[in-house]
Amino acid sequence: MSFASMLSRLVASKVRFVVVGGLAAAAHGSSRVTNDLDICYDALDSRNVEALAKVLGRWHAYPRGVEEGLPFIMDQRTLRGAPILTLTTSEGDIDVMDRIAGIGDYAEVRKHSEKIAALGVNFRVLDLPSLIKAKRAAGRPRDFEHLPELEALLALRNKA
């Protein structure tokens, strides 16, 4: 798995997205390791949905945790029918979402993001205060466990 190759392919395909979750946390200094790429994408623009579906199709995307060999077609209809897809691909695992708990749809997520250059790619990540808000809103135990580190990073940033 290579986040760099996944991000560069998404950017090269002109997919509008914001990185959220573990990789966004790492971009803000978190020491936690993540095994998947989490993105929020612009689901209101059909060309963007089509571009994302094509990339995921080339990567042979398939639902994570589902028995292999079952019929699955990665296309615009699949993306539009599922607000959250957790996928395994030939490039690595990716979670695609059309909205983020506590923040909103792509337009809102983008307003609360910042552009960074990392892994040889320029892309947007959810800003740290919004990442903390999203983790709280998600309400999962692993997100609550991550909050003290993220809040400490925010406090350090605010002191600087």
Side-chain angles (χ1 to χ4, degrees), residues 38-148:
D38 301 303
I39 65 167
C40 179
Y41 69 98
D42 186 353
L44 297 179
D45 182 321
S46 60
R47 284 185 292 199
N48 193 60
V49 176
E50 181 181 354
L52 177 57
K54 283 183 181 179
V55 170
L56 294 171
R58 284 193 297 270
W59 292 348
H60 310 287
Y62 192 79
R64 214 163 44 240
V66 172
E67 179 184 338
E68 288 187 38
L70 296 176
F72 180 75
I73 299 169
M74 176 44 65
D75 60 9
Q76 289 183 56
R77 187 174 175 181
T78 298
L79 284 171
R80 291 196 185 283
I84 300 173
L85 281 171
T86 58
L87 303 165
T88 188
T89 79
S90 58
E91 298 297 311
D93 290 345
I94 186 170
D95 296 350
V96 295
M97 297 159 261
D98 64 9
R99 63 186 316 98
I100 300 299
I103 308 298
D105 66 8
Y106 170 80
E108 285 301 311
V109 170
R110 192 173 193 294
K111 284 181 196 173
H112 297 281
S113 71
E114 52 194 61
K115 194 165 194 174
I116 67 164
L119 305 170
V121 185
N122 294 318
F123 57 97
R124 299 194 79 80
V125 298
L126 191 60
D127 66 34
L128 188 52
S130 299
L131 183 60
I132 291 168
K133 186 177 179 182
K135 293 244 178 225
R136 270 200 193 98
R140 299 175 302 191
R142 68 178 179 205
D143 292 318
F144 286 133
E145 291 168 8
H146 200 183
L147 284 173

